[in-house]
Amino acid sequence: MASLWESAVVDVGKFLCNSIYTKIITFFKFQANTDSLRAKMKELSDSKKNIEDDLESAGKQGKVAILAVKEWLPKVKDIEGQWNSMEEDITASQKLFCGCFPNCYLRYKLSKSSMEKIQEVKELIDTRAKFSIELAVPNPLPESVQEMPGPSIVDQKAASELLDRLKELVLNDEIRKIGIWGMGGVGKTTLVSNLNNIMADGSLAHPFGIIILVTVSSILDLHGIQLQIAERLKFKEELEKESKGRWATLLLGRLKKQKKFLLILDDVWEKIDLDKVGIPQGLLACKIVLTTRSLDVCYQMKTDKNIQVNTLNDEAGWKLFSEHVGELPDVQDIKSLAREVAKECKGLPLAIKVVGCSMRGKERVEQWRKALRGLRASQPRNIERVEEDVFRPLKWSYDSLQGKNIQPCFLYCSLFPEDFSIEEDELIRCWRAEGLIYESLNIEESLESGVDLIEKLKHSCMLGPGRGRGTVKMHDIVRDVAIWIASSSEDGNKFFVQSNMSRSKITEEEMHESINRASFVGGELSEIPTSLATCSRLSTLFLQDNPLNKIPRDIFLGLKALRVLNLSGTKIKSLPKEVGELNNLRVLNLSEMRELERIEAQTISRLSRLEVLDMYQSDYGWKVKGEVDEESVTLEELLHLEDLYFLRIRVSSTGYFPLDSTWLKRLKSFHFYMYQSKERTYWLKRDHERVVELSGDVEHLAKCAEGMLNIATCLDIKDCSVNRIGEVAKSVPNLEELLLTDIEGLDNIWEGMVKSGGRSSFPKLQKIRVIGCHGLKRLIPHDLLEQLHNVEKIYVFNCSNMKEIFGAKVVDENTSEIVATCSVVDSNALPNLRLLHLFDLPKLTYICQEAFSWPSLEIVRVSKCPNLRRLPFSTGNAKKIQEIEGREEWWKKLEWEDEETRLNLQKHFKGRK
């Protein structure tokens, strides 16, 4: 027993001696370590200074830093800050403790820290050495004009005359600012959109290098205006990296570089301080057009000339009404009634369009008499005369909406902010959750019913197209009417809408029990109003895009009727289990919650009626049991949600995926982002209903999630290092879209995937996207071409070693001899391919070396492919081509088999300078 104790004491003594010895050595190397770090820091700082000087010069030439440099500079600045703090401590350590002794602990600490920092600095210096010679690349120039959606006014005499007047003023060098004013819905936005579009299509020659159209809206947001301008200039990413206090200075510098520009500010409600935005004034290069409802705003903005847009006279109003109502029945009474109905719209184009659409197809005199009576009788309360002239006809149009629940579905849209593009799918999910679509229908039928409702509202001009595909939005006047109707409802279903408000709190007096839907979107709420707890009838609560950072645990205990809860874009860090008390909740939106770190256990599984869980772009990573503590939610909780049909989550688990294909098949739509790193990443929105994104150890993730991949339709593999992905993609039998992004070492996509006997490996594949895969030399080999029967679109971007897209020939790379030729040459290879888009392929020499028949090819886009000198088209195989897009310089250098082919394709060429 004694020997064991002696041995233990000796071991402890050795450990303590070694530890003390290490610390003593570290202490005595204080000067050497700090001097070494100082020298390395000087080397690093000098290198940074040289790079910044080079970038400043490059910036004057319109160039921007390459990505590696952009990522390197902030790291250097960070370590410089740490070194500055250390230097202060080093200076302090020189002073003698109590006037006699050095501060041993501080010196030891600094010496140790210096040793650690030296390694970090060395790594940054080594990284710098790996940069390419070119630290900056040309900044892609924005299009000079972007066409805007909207109706043409070419056939409208009064509007065309206004447009002609506006054109004269815009082209007059002596006029700097032009104001366009008039009541809401009178056509101001349509006027400036038409001005923009005739410049876009070349109908009007103009001197502007760029035309920028910005939507301002009633709540003035200078930063929002700055971001819209920066996005148009392709400057947004750089701007957002800087403090907001510098945005005006940076925008001013960027705009001054423009040769000459036109800025259109649409829907201005109050004076805008252009200096605070960063818009240069008093320069020949700058011209501003603004639209507003108030002439006073024009005066405050010191416009040089103002154009008033008036309502239409009876004849012009009748003409516009006729265009929207269509052919009228050949009944004299109806024709006279129709003119009276058009007059009741008071010449307001918006009202005329809405009412005209509502009366389209009405063939009974009684219907027209009822319409006229309704228009004359509807009188909104407590609204000024101007608003009355707008609201009366629109309120009548609301009253005339036909169909079960179409009116409440329309009112529901007003919960979204002004000028907001609403995703149709999201809107339909909310309608279903609220019971506004037949709950007895299955998921597929209810979604179809939702689409039908949206189309009816579009056709009635109550909803218009949004900015993106699959979106809608309300005209601001139409939204005002909807809020007015919903807020004054006498059936107890009242709305409380305070979107984009600047207040940080809501008073208790504003919230009351009769409110059943509330929206606080895009405001400055720092905390959830406690008065909400009294709203026992509340069924929808929108809190998205507020700076909320926590949820009071008891706030939802009184909201048992809540069906839709949207917390997206907030800064909430933890989701308490009390959320699980919302027994009626159908939709829970936690998307874009970058700060969300924790969801307590039993929060999700108790939401037994949950249909939608949306965590798109949220940084929270779901894991399986055993990978997290028992107090946190796990993927297994999702198995309890029997009504769930829509799911988008990020999965950071490395274990076996517990949601098997049987459970997943119950979902109408899912999007799993499987990314093991904690680094912030951005998802890609896809049209597909079943999307899987993989990054990291792809092979391992694919094995863990085999059931998921078995029913996925879209596979996106990104940011990984792998030689072959064939086995992964092959495990997705229903694959419709394949995306490969930034995959290092990938030299053959398809190895192991080609089936024998002519059977297709990808019977459903329609779209292929390959981006940043620098190991690839050929996209599709010859032996796979005949198996891609359904591929319709192919995109190949930024692949530095890509030499050929379709391999009609197999060439021995050692002898350069052809060893095989594709059997489908001159037959129906890729029979359904409609679009081919090639971008930034510096070594691309061929699209293919043999002629295909191209039976469906319609669009070919080529950019930054300098070595592509021939196109594989002829008069015989290019019959379906409608558009070839590329730079003029590239087109002129192309070589052709014959002049007939060149002339035939020339008429389809869309050139860019």
Side-chain angles (χ1 to χ4, degrees):
M1 180 64 71
S3 62
L4 289 174
W5 277 105
E6 289 172 0
S7 176
V9 169
V10 170
D11 289 343
V12 171
K14 286 180 179 179
F15 172 77
L16 291 174
C17 287
N18 288 336
S19 177
I20 293 170
Y21 175 75
T22 301
K23 290 180 178 179
I24 291 172
I25 292 299
T26 302
F27 169 75
F28 279 109
K29 285 189 174 182
F30 163 75
Q31 196 64 49
N33 288 338
T34 55
D35 286 348
S36 179
L37 177 58
R38 183 177 288 106
K40 285 292 180 185
M41 281 304 305
K42 185 177 186 310
E43 182 182 351
L44 180 62
S45 295
D46 289 345
S47 181
K48 186 196 83 168
K49 178 64 167 59
N50 292 335
I51 286 179
E52 288 177 333
D53 290 344
D54 289 345
L55 290 180
E56 184 177 357
S57 299
K60 294 177 181 178
Q61 302 172 25
K63 294 183 177 182
V64 294
I66 61 175
L67 179 61
V69 173
K70 287 181 180 179
E71 293 174 345
W72 183 80
L73 284 172
K75 295 176 182 178
V76 175
K77 290 177 182 177
D78 181 58
I79 205 166
E80 282 181 330
Q82 297 174 36
W83 167 242
N84 291 335
S85 298
M86 284 182 65
E87 277 205 303
E88 293 178 6
D89 292 339
I90 291 171
T91 302
S93 71
Q94 309 295 333
K95 299 176 182 179
L96 297 178
F97 182 65
C98 296
C100 302
F101 306 103
N103 189 330
C104 298
Y105 176 71
L106 182 57
R107 287 195 173 200
Y108 161 73
K109 183 180 176 183
L110 289 168
S111 181
K112 182 180 179 183
S113 182
S114 295
M115 293 170 64
E116 295 169 351
K117 285 286 179 287
I118 287 171
Q119 186 57 40
E120 292 181 42
V121 174
K122 283 181 177 179
E123 290 176 2
L124 287 170
I125 292 172
D126 291 343
T127 300
R128 164 64 185 97
K130 295 176 183 178
F131 290 165
S132 61
I133 297 176
E134 292 290 335
L135 299 176
V137 293
N139 192 22
L141 295 175
E143 297 174 78
S144 62
V145 194
Q146 287 182 337
E147 188 169 356
M148 304 297 294
S152 172
I153 57 176
V154 173
D155 296 329
Q156 300 175 29
K157 182 180 178 182
S160 295
E161 289 174 353
L162 279 179
L163 182 58
D164 289 339
R165 185 180 171 196
L166 179 57
K167 288 189 292 187
E168 290 176 7
L169 294 176
V170 166
L171 297 177
N172 188 335
D173 287 338
E174 296 181 1
I175 305 296
R176 296 284 180 274
K177 294 179 187 173
I178 305 165
I180 300 172
W181 67 283
M183 65 184 297
V186 79
K188 303 181 297 295
T189 299
T190 300
L191 182 63
V192 293
S193 295
N194 273 262
L195 174 69
N196 177 87
N197 290 347
I198 61 174
M199 293 180 177
D201 66 18
S203 300
L204 176 65
H206 63 86
F208 303 108
I210 188 168
I211 298 169
I212 305 168
L213 197 154
V214 173
T215 301
V216 179
S217 298
S218 59
I219 304 299
L220 183 59
D221 180 4
L222 294 184
H223 293 316
I225 294 172
Q226 290 172 321
L227 285 174
Q228 288 186 66
I229 295 173
E231 185 171 22
R232 184 69 181 87
L233 295 170
K234 295 194 174 180
F235 183 55
K236 183 180 177 182
E237 182 180 343
E238 297 172 53
L239 195 70
E240 288 182 316
K241 291 180 180 178
E242 302 290 340
S243 65
K244 290 182 178 179
R246 296 196 63 233
W247 284 12
T249 302
L250 294 170
L251 271 180
L252 182 66
R254 181 54 67 98
L255 286 169
K256 280 187 173 180
K257 293 178 181 178
Q258 298 297 321
K259 180 182 177 183
K260 194 170 186 179
F261 70 91
L262 170 64
L263 175 63
I264 301 174
L265 299 170
D266 187 33
D267 201 14
V268 180
W269 287 65
E270 59 185 281
K271 179 185 177 182
I272 300 173
D273 190 329
L274 299 178
D275 291 329
K276 288 185 178 179
V277 176
I279 299 171
Q281 299 181 67
L283 300 177
L284 284 173
C286 172
K287 180 156 293 194
I288 296 172
V289 174
L290 64 92
T291 72
T292 178
R293 298 184 185 185
S294 170
L295 182 59
D296 286 339
V297 171
C298 296
Y299 293 150
Q300 293 164 9
M301 294 290 292
K302 299 179 180 179
T303 52
D304 300 313
K305 292 288 183 178
N306 298 312
I307 299 176
Q308 181 178 5
V309 183
N310 293 307
T311 54
L312 303 175
N313 60 34
D314 287 350
E315 207 50 48
W318 170 247
K319 182 178 180 182
L320 184 62
F321 184 84
S322 299
E323 290 175 5
H324 286 80
V325 77
E327 185 176 355
L328 291 169
D330 191 16
V331 178
Q332 188 57 40
D333 285 351
I334 287 182
K335 290 182 178 180
S336 60
L337 285 168
R339 280 192 174 270
E340 290 300 313
V341 167
K343 284 182 182 179
E344 283 298 315
C345 295
K346 307 298 183 184
L348 184 67
L350 176 63
I352 291 170
K353 294 174 184 177
V354 170
V355 176
C357 287
S358 298
M359 297 305 296
R360 194 178 186 93
K362 301 292 192 298
E363 298 182 349
R364 300 285 298 272
V365 173
E366 292 82 359
Q367 291 174 299
W368 285 92
R369 285 177 180 161
K370 180 182 178 182
L372 183 59
R373 186 168 57 250
L375 279 168
R376 289 173 173 170
S378 181
Q379 295 183 358
R381 301 178 298 264
N382 303 320
I383 300 176
E384 295 180 8
R385 183 70 192 176
V386 170
E387 296 299 329
E388 180 181 278
D389 289 342
V390 177
F391 280 25
R392 275 198 305 127
L394 292 180
K395 170 63 166 64
W396 175 83
S397 295
Y398 164 80
D399 291 336
S400 68
L401 289 173
Q402 299 295 316
K404 182 176 176 59
N405 284 336
I406 191 170
Q407 289 183 342
C409 283
F410 163 72
L411 296 180
Y412 197 94
C413 299
S414 68
L415 294 172
F416 295 89
E418 182 180 293
D419 199 44
F420 185 84
S421 292
I422 310 167
E423 289 192 13
E424 292 181 3
D425 291 344
E426 179 183 2
L427 184 60
I428 294 171
R429 290 193 289 269
C430 291
W431 283 347
R432 175 183 164 83
E434 280 277 20
L436 301 180
I437 300 176
Y438 296 104
E439 291 185 274
S440 60
L441 299 176
N442 62 36
I443 301 298
E444 192 72 36
E445 291 171 338
S446 67
L447 296 181
E448 290 171 356
S449 179
V451 170
D452 184 56
L453 281 171
I454 286 176
E455 289 304 310
K456 286 180 179 178
L457 289 172
K458 282 182 180 178
H459 293 165
S460 300
C461 297
M462 304 298 272
L463 288 179
R467 290 192 181 89
R469 186 174 62 176
T471 66
V472 292
K473 70 176 181 179
M474 289 181 126
H475 186 282
D476 54 357
I477 298 298
V478 175
R479 179 175 177 270
D480 290 343
V481 174
I483 292 173
W484 169 71
I485 295 170
S487 301
S488 57
S489 172
E490 295 180 357
D491 63 1
N493 295 318
K494 294 190 176 182
F495 285 21
F496 184 82
V497 181
Q498 290 287 317
S499 299
N500 291 329
M501 65 179 184
S502 57
R503 291 183 294 162
S504 60
K505 292 186 178 180
I506 299 296
T507 63
E508 292 187 10
E509 290 76 18
E510 293 176 287
M511 307 303 298
H512 46 83
E513 188 178 355
S514 64
I515 294 174
N516 78 325
R517 292 180 185 126
S519 174
F520 305 91
V521 181
E524 296 295 329
L525 283 183
S526 56
E527 58 185 48
I528 298 177
T530 56
S531 53
L532 275 175
T534 64
C535 302
S536 58
R537 299 178 61 181
L538 197 67
S539 59
T540 286
L541 177 58
F542 284 177
L543 290 166
Q544 58 263 43
D545 298 324
N546 281 281
L548 300 168
N549 55 30
K550 64 178 179 180
I551 301 178
R553 286 188 174 272
D554 58 351
I555 194 68
F556 294 124
L557 297 180
L559 303 181
K560 297 295 186 181
L562 200 63
R563 288 171 171 242
V564 178
L565 175 61
N566 194 324
L567 295 168
S568 64
T570 62
K571 299 182 181 301
I572 292 169
K573 296 183 178 180
S574 179
L575 210 58
K577 62 182 178 182
E578 281 74 11
V579 174
E581 298 293 329
L582 300 173
N583 298 326
N584 280 300
L585 194 68
R586 267 77 161 178
V587 174
L588 179 58
N589 193 327
L590 308 176
S591 59
E592 300 191 48
M593 294 181 67
R594 303 296 189 184
E595 314 296 327
L596 186 61
E597 299 173 350
R598 180 180 176 85
I599 300 177
E600 293 188 20
Q602 307 305 313
T603 301
I604 303 299
S605 59
R606 288 187 296 140
L607 299 173
S608 58
R609 304 193 70 177
L610 196 67
E611 298 177 344
V612 175
L613 177 57
D614 191 352
M615 297 184 69
Y616 177 77
Q617 292 285 15
S618 174
D619 279 2
Y620 183 80
W622 287 71
K623 296 185 178 181
V624 299
K625 281 184 179 180
E627 292 183 325
V628 294
D629 60 82
E630 294 183 357
E631 300 301 317
S632 297
V633 72
T634 63
L635 282 164
E636 284 80 1
E637 284 199 31
L638 297 175
L639 295 170
H640 296 274
L641 306 179
E642 296 183 0
D643 293 336
L644 195 72
Y645 71 86
F646 182 93
L647 177 63
R648 292 199 293 197
I649 59 173
R650 169 176 171 155
V651 179
S652 59
S653 170
T654 58
Y656 177 73
F657 196 69
L659 310 178
D660 59 25
S661 57
T662 303
W663 186 88
L664 289 169
K665 284 179 181 178
R666 292 174 17 202
L667 300 179
K668 169 66 177 173
S669 177
F670 64 69
H671 187 148
F672 294 108
Y673 188 90
M674 304 189 71
Y675 195 86
Q676 295 163 294
S677 170
K678 292 183 179 180
E679 180 183 350
R680 177 170 292 178
T681 52
Y682 294 90
W683 309 21
L684 293 175
K685 275 199 174 181
R686 294 293 167 210
D687 295 332
H688 295 272
E689 293 182 340
R690 294 175 172 179
V691 182
V692 177
E693 295 187 52
L694 301 178
S695 186
D697 189 347
V698 171
E699 288 93 345
H700 174 72
L701 291 175
K703 290 177 182 177
C704 292
E706 185 176 354
M708 177 202 305
L709 291 173
N710 190 51
I711 60 173
T713 57
C714 176
L715 177 62
D716 184 358
I717 302 177
K718 65 175 67 173
D719 297 327
C720 61
S721 179
V722 60
N723 292 325
R724 302 286 185 270
I725 63 165
E727 293 302 320
V728 177
K730 193 165 62 174
S731 62
V732 191
N734 295 296
L735 188 64
E736 296 176 7
E737 181 173 358
L738 176 64
L739 299 94
L740 306 172
T741 307
D742 297 333
I743 303 179
E744 297 179 11
L746 181 66
D747 57 16
N748 188 332
I749 299 174
W750 314 97
E751 186 164 311
M753 301 175 75
V754 179
K755 293 182 179 180
S756 58
R759 290 184 299 147
S760 175
S761 302
F762 312 101
K764 300 180 180 180
L765 187 61
Q766 298 173 10
K767 186 184 297 184
I768 300 170
R769 291 180 186 263
V770 178
I771 304 171
C773 296
H774 300 295
L776 282 177
K777 295 181 180 179
R778 180 181 297 112
L779 180 67
I780 301 176
H782 77 293
D783 49 356
L784 191 68
L785 283 170
E786 57 187 352
Q787 299 194 22
L788 300 177
H789 297 304
N790 291 310
V791 170
E792 296 179 2
K793 299 178 181 180
I794 294 177
Y795 305 82
V796 189
F797 297 165
N798 189 29
C799 295
S800 58
N801 285 301
M802 182 73 69
K803 295 181 178 180
E804 185 179 28
I805 305 300
F806 308 118
K809 298 178 179 179
V810 181
V811 180
D812 189 313
E813 294 190 358
N814 295 320
T815 64
S816 298
E817 293 181 359
I818 298 174
V819 297
T821 302
C822 179
S823 61
V824 297
V825 172
D826 292 323
S827 66
N828 282 344
L830 302 168
N832 288 296
L833 183 64
R834 294 188 296 107
L835 182 148
L836 178 63
H837 192 168
L838 309 175
F839 173 78
D840 197 11
L841 309 175
K843 293 186 179 180
L844 184 69
T845 307
Y846 302 102
I847 291 178
C848 61
Q849 295 187 54
E850 294 290 335
F852 292 177
S853 58
W854 309 115
S856 302
L857 189 61
E858 297 174 351
I859 300 173
V860 178
R861 294 178 181 145
V862 179
S863 182
K864 297 182 69 173
C865 301
N867 287 307
L868 183 61
R869 299 298 190 192
R870 282 179 173 268
L871 296 179
F873 307 134
S874 66
T875 53
N877 69 3
K879 296 178 180 179
K880 289 291 185 71
I881 289 182
Q882 300 174 7
E883 176 185 315
I884 300 178
E885 183 180 314
R887 289 192 176 277
E888 295 275 2
E889 182 182 3
W890 166 76
W891 180 259
K892 290 176 182 177
K893 293 180 179 179
L894 285 177
E895 300 170 2
W896 302 94
E897 290 290 339
D898 54 69
E899 184 65 8
E900 184 183 0
T901 297
R902 187 188 71 81
L903 292 174
N904 184 50
L905 294 177
Q906 177 69 48
K907 59 187 178 184
H908 300 298
F909 177 64
K910 184 179 179 181
R912 290 181 288 104
K913 295 183 179 179

